[in-house]
Amino acid sequence: MQVDSKASRILFDKSREMLYAAEFMDKHKLTSVQTICLLVQVAHNSDKSDLICVLVSAAIRIAQCLNLHRLGHDDPGAGVSEAIDRQVRKRVWWFLVRYEWLQIPFQNTCQIHYSQFNTPMPANCHDDEQRLIKDGRIDTQPAEISTITTWTNCLAQMSIVMWRYHDRMLRVDNTQTDDIDRRYDEVIRADEETKSLYLSWPDSLRDVNTTPGDNPAIDGLPTGLMPAMLLMSIAQKVIFTVHRQFQLSCFRDRRYAFSQLSCVTIAERSIEAFQRWPDCLEARICRRMWTTLSYMISCSITLLFALLFKAQNALTRDWDRLRHYVEFGKNFPGKEAQGSSIARRGVRLLGALMELERTAGFSSDIEADIGDTIRRVALADEDGVEANTSEGFQMVFPYGQDLWESLMRDLTEVELM
């Protein structure tokens, strides 16, 4: 089944027109915030990452003006209509929190502070009328029962860990001392916290060894695909957020070998879990999500780094197996290249790095060659025309500004420093 990328772009453009026609920044409405939240999925696949970043920032302020961040504890005596309305508002607020905090690595900043809101996470509840309400209240399901909020609440819990890690790292950086050991202690701590959170989730959300059936959906939810999705999401946070400051040094400096072991191992497991997916409608829908594409590219790049630095790598690995995983990681977004700018650029980047790995034995400075390869891919679109460089630093190349800017810096600029 082909993806009609034009239809999604029309949706994006028409929705923006309606937002401006409704004067959304002046006349604050919950529906305006919901619209922006829905556009996130389309925007990143349509080269509109910078635009959606600004729109989400506006949505956060509008949500705060609507007091979505100050809902407080649930009132046991609330009526059914009020309880449902609160549930909707909690979902909208926590979408913004989750999205904002999981994007911290892209810009090293955020608008929402953990201490400045008291809205609880939405309940793990079904959406259909028959199961949503019981005895006049929201019927909250146990953690092992999958509902429409199960996946998003897991990501929300993960986003809290990421925010706390970012906050601690800022405190270390603000000491005005170049204490790399303290920073790395925080990296190890966050790695442990992230993996402990993952292990706290029900077994049904972590069973990546069972091959999903051809019909992996229950109640319209892709429950059979969730374990792989959650594992790869955890992998992306471990690689992309927790260890990103040591992404290159961990392959050439044994002091940071833990980062290499942690990132490469979880990247391998994640790609292996996706290899078990059936070719079904639910899998194709999940594959098109910009998050899934970005996660797969992140894991594949990590394995490529291991291959590129294998001459300096003290750890023994099955290099052919890593190449097999990377090949799968390149083909995975390749199926969505027609409808996603992330997929297109990800495929080009992976292809260029794979070609570099094949000839790396002749390189006198592999790190410089990696930087040159990334720079060439980031600064050119399909027709070789110069593209938006900030896009290259952000959503297209999934490691945040620190790593890519260091690799993409013009060599003449380095000489002048």
Side-chain angles (χ1 to χ4, degrees):
M1 184 173 67
Q2 294 295 319
V3 180
D4 189 350
S5 57
K6 291 183 179 179
S8 61
R9 184 56 186 267
I10 291 172
L11 166 68
F12 183 78
D13 292 338
K14 292 297 182 182
S15 297
R16 286 171 55 205
E17 289 177 14
M18 292 302 296
L19 283 170
Y20 288 114
E23 301 179 65
F24 76 103
M25 287 196 285
D26 182 36
K27 300 175 182 178
H28 299 158
K29 297 179 181 179
L30 178 63
T31 50
S32 296
V33 181
Q34 290 172 311
T35 300
I36 293 171
C37 293
L38 289 172
L39 292 181
V40 166
Q41 192 62 239
V42 180
H44 290 306
N45 273 331
S46 303
D47 263 338
K48 293 297 180 182
S49 297
D50 291 340
L51 174 59
I52 200 64
C53 175
V54 175
L55 285 176
V56 169
S57 295
I60 290 171
R61 287 303 188 194
I62 294 170
Q64 290 168 333
C65 290
L66 296 172
N67 279 327
L68 266 61
H69 65 311
R70 291 290 182 185
L71 296 183
H73 296 296
D74 294 330
D75 179 6
V80 171
S81 179
E82 181 182 348
I84 294 175
D85 182 69
R86 279 178 56 84
Q87 183 71 6
V88 170
R89 291 171 180 267
K90 285 192 285 187
R91 289 183 183 182
V92 173
W93 174 250
W94 271 96
F95 177 95
L96 294 171
V97 172
R98 183 177 72 247
Y99 180 83
E100 168 85 345
W101 287 353
L102 294 180
Q103 301 307 303
I104 287 175
F106 291 120
Q107 297 174 329
N108 292 321
T109 188
C110 63
Q111 291 177 253
I112 300 173
H113 194 279
Y114 187 79
S115 66
Q116 295 175 351
F117 69 91
N118 63 3
T119 298
M121 287 187 196
N124 185 42
C125 61
H126 296 290
D127 266 16
D128 56 285
E129 188 175 350
Q130 293 76 16
R131 295 181 294 175
L132 175 60
I133 300 295
K134 183 178 181 180
D135 298 329
R137 298 182 183 180
I138 298 291
D139 188 14
T140 302
Q141 302 297 315
E144 59 270 15
I145 300 297
S146 292
T147 74
I148 197 168
T149 55
T150 301
W151 158 261
T152 54
N153 278 358
C154 287
L155 296 181
Q157 294 166 21
M158 195 188 311
S159 73
I160 294 173
V161 175
M162 295 300 102
W163 184 89
R164 287 174 173 165
Y165 167 66
H166 177 71
D167 188 59
R168 293 196 303 265
M169 289 297 277
L170 283 178
R171 295 175 190 274
V172 172
D173 291 340
N174 287 339
T175 59
Q176 297 183 343
T177 60
D178 188 19
D179 192 345
I180 195 167
D181 290 336
R182 280 189 62 194
R183 289 207 300 272
Y184 201 62
D185 286 343
E186 291 296 343
V187 167
I188 295 173
R189 176 181 173 183
D191 183 280
E192 293 173 349
E193 289 174 346
T194 305
K195 291 172 182 175
S196 293
L197 173 64
Y198 176 72
L199 292 174
S200 73
W201 294 334
D203 292 343
S204 59
L205 295 177
R206 296 185 288 110
D207 181 12
V208 295
N209 295 320
T210 301
T211 301
D214 292 335
N215 297 301
I218 299 176
D219 285 342
L221 301 173
T223 52
L225 307 179
M226 279 187 183
M229 294 279 285
L230 281 173
L231 177 61
M232 185 161 279
S233 182
I234 284 286
Q236 198 252 9
K237 304 307 174 293
V238 168
I239 295 167
F240 174 23
T241 301
V242 176
H243 292 277
R244 69 188 177 95
Q245 295 186 30
F246 300 89
Q247 271 299 311
L248 291 180
S249 55
C250 74
F251 290 102
R252 60 174 185 257
D253 190 331
R254 294 185 183 183
R255 290 178 299 171
Y256 312 120
F258 173 75
S259 292
Q260 179 186 158
L261 178 63
S262 180
C263 294
V264 172
T265 301
I266 198 168
E268 286 182 291
R269 285 194 62 209
S270 299
I271 293 178
E272 189 175 305
F274 271 78
Q275 288 178 323
R276 296 191 176 97
W277 273 18
D279 184 14
C280 60
L281 176 62
E282 292 82 3
R284 291 193 290 272
I285 291 173
C286 290
R287 188 179 63 212
R288 292 172 197 148
M289 296 169 63
W290 72 270
T291 45
T292 309
L293 296 170
S294 179
Y295 296 169
M296 182 62 73
I297 294 167
S298 293
C299 289
S300 301
I301 290 175
T302 295
L303 300 186
L304 270 167
F305 280 169
L307 288 164
L308 286 164
F309 286 96
K310 61 181 179 291
Q312 305 173 42
N313 186 356
L315 300 178
T316 302
R317 297 190 178 277
D318 184 339
W319 304 117
D320 288 337
R321 186 178 68 180
L322 290 194
R323 291 187 185 96
H324 175 69
Y325 286 144
V326 171
E327 187 67 37
F328 177 87
K330 176 174 175 283
N331 293 335
F332 187 91
K335 297 174 182 178
E336 306 303 327
Q338 181 180 352
S340 168
S341 59
I342 291 178
R344 286 194 298 275
R345 288 181 178 144
V347 168
R348 292 206 308 277
L349 176 61
L350 291 173
L353 291 175
M354 289 167 71
E355 179 60 30
L356 177 62
E357 193 270 325
R358 281 190 283 269
T359 60
F362 303 99
S363 174
S364 59
D365 189 341
I366 189 62
E367 194 165 326
D369 289 342
I370 292 173
D372 182 62
T373 300
I374 293 168
R375 184 163 48 249
R376 284 188 285 104
V377 174
L379 298 181
D381 63 15
E382 291 89 340
D383 301 316
V385 179
E386 186 170 312
N388 181 355
T389 57
S390 65
E391 182 81 12
F393 295 146
Q394 296 175 28
M395 202 60 63
V396 179
F397 303 113
Y399 280 99
Q401 291 177 325
D402 296 350
L403 177 63
W404 298 123
E405 286 180 346
S406 68
L407 286 171
M408 294 175 66
R409 187 178 295 124
D410 190 273
L411 294 178
T412 57
E413 179 185 340
V414 175
E415 292 172 357
L416 294 173
M417 292 177 64

